[in-house]
Amino acid sequence: MHETRPSFASDAAVPENWDCPRCGLPAGQDESAPPAPPKNEPYKTHLAYVKERRSDKDGKAILEEALERLRNNKSPW
């Protein structure tokens, strides 16, 4: 832990939190309760986003529809 002394304009309201110019983490005025560091979300693949929106049942239905189109030579494009 370290201490920095940021400068703010005399007529400006001092924010509750700000980015530390030394380490880049959130900083604040209360030394006993510093702001929590930001959570880094892991990289999500396209498939992970799709799985958030679709159930396995929906996925199977979409796959069956696409396979049926291919079997009948009906291109979806």
Side-chain angles (χ1 to χ4, degrees), residues 25-69:
L25 293 175
Q29 295 184 48
D30 188 355
E31 189 176 329
S32 63
K39 281 191 163 189
N40 289 331
E41 290 287 325
Y43 173 77
K44 286 186 184 180
T45 64
H46 176 70
L47 181 58
Y49 283 109
V50 170
K51 286 183 175 183
E52 285 180 0
R53 297 190 314 266
R54 307 263 192 221
S55 68
D56 286 344
K57 183 179 176 183
D58 291 339
K60 287 179 184 178
I62 292 168
L63 178 60
E64 281 303 317
E65 182 181 323
L67 289 173
E68 188 61 34
R69 283 184 184 163

Side-chain angles (χ1 to χ4, degrees), residues 6-26:
S7 299
F8 299 100
S10 61
D11 60 342
V14 177
E16 211 173 296
N17 297 324
W18 59 86
D19 292 335
C20 174
R22 182 172 169 193
C23 68
L25 293 175

